[in-house]
């Protein structure tokens, strides 16, 4: 079964930094785009960052300049560097294959995700 294994989430104070990772299990990243999504309690899942097959990154406006998405295809891993984090960045973070934006409702291979909590 294809799935991502996400890790790296933890509690962090506002203004702090985190690095999340997603490792592919049962499939390859090569030739595909990968999206990072997050979901806070009572909120819909939203796409926050995407890296397409040629390595070009894209971000929603609220994280632009603070988050960086990258990929190591040899390790089948996607990274999300989170800097200057804000409370609104809190949520469970997931990766998706070839789905980048909106709520990712068309994706059906969500992994366990990793929890990010930003608070003082």
């Amino acid at each position: 079964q294809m799935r991502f294994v996400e890790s790296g989430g933890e509690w962090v104070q506002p203004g702090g930094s985190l690095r999340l990772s997603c490792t592919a299990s049962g499939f390859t990243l090569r030739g595909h785009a990968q999206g990072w999504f997050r979901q806070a309690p009572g909120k819909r899942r939203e796409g926050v960052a995407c890296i397409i097959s040629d390595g070009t990154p894209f971000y929603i406006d609220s994280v632009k300049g603070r988050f960086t998405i990258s990929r190591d295809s040899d390790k089948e891993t996607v990274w999300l560097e989170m800097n200057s984090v804000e409370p609104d960045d809190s949520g469970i973070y997931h990766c998706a294959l070839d789905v980048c934006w909106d709520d990712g409702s068309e994706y059906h291979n969500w992994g366990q995700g990793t929890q990010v909590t930003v608070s003082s």
Side-chain angles (χ1 to χ4, degrees):
Q1 182 179 8
M2 63 169 64
R3 68 184 188 278
F4 279 111
V5 179
E6 298 96 342
S7 64
E10 61 183 5
W11 174 86
V12 63
Q13 295 188 63
S17 298
L18 288 173
R19 187 176 70 165
L20 311 182
S21 67
C22 267
T23 299
S25 178
F27 62 99
T28 180
L29 302 181
R30 294 177 178 84
H32 296 276
Q34 293 83 45
W36 276 101
F37 291 78
R38 67 188 180 193
Q39 187 170 26
K43 304 293 185 180
R44 284 190 169 184
R45 183 186 297 110
E46 64 174 348
V48 298
C50 181
I51 185 166
I52 59 176
S53 59
D54 69 356
T56 303
F58 298 92
Y59 307 93
I60 58 171
D61 288 342
S62 62
V63 308
K64 194 173 298 182
R66 300 188 298 116
F67 290 9
T68 302
I69 187 171
S70 60
R71 178 176 60 216
D72 185 337
S73 294
D74 290 336
K75 298 182 181 297
E76 302 286 6
T77 299
V78 182
W79 309 93
L80 185 68
E81 299 266 5
M82 304 170 61
N83 299 308
S84 302
V85 297
E86 305 167 354
D88 285 348
D89 295 323
S90 298
I92 301 175
Y93 282 70
H94 292 88
C95 289
L97 185 71
D98 289 331
V99 179
C100 288
W101 306 117
D102 299 322
D103 64 358
S105 60
E106 69 270 42
Y107 191 70
H108 302 289
N109 293 99
W110 302 108
Q112 293 298 304
T114 186
Q115 177 71 50
V116 173
T117 302
V118 183
S119 65
S120 299

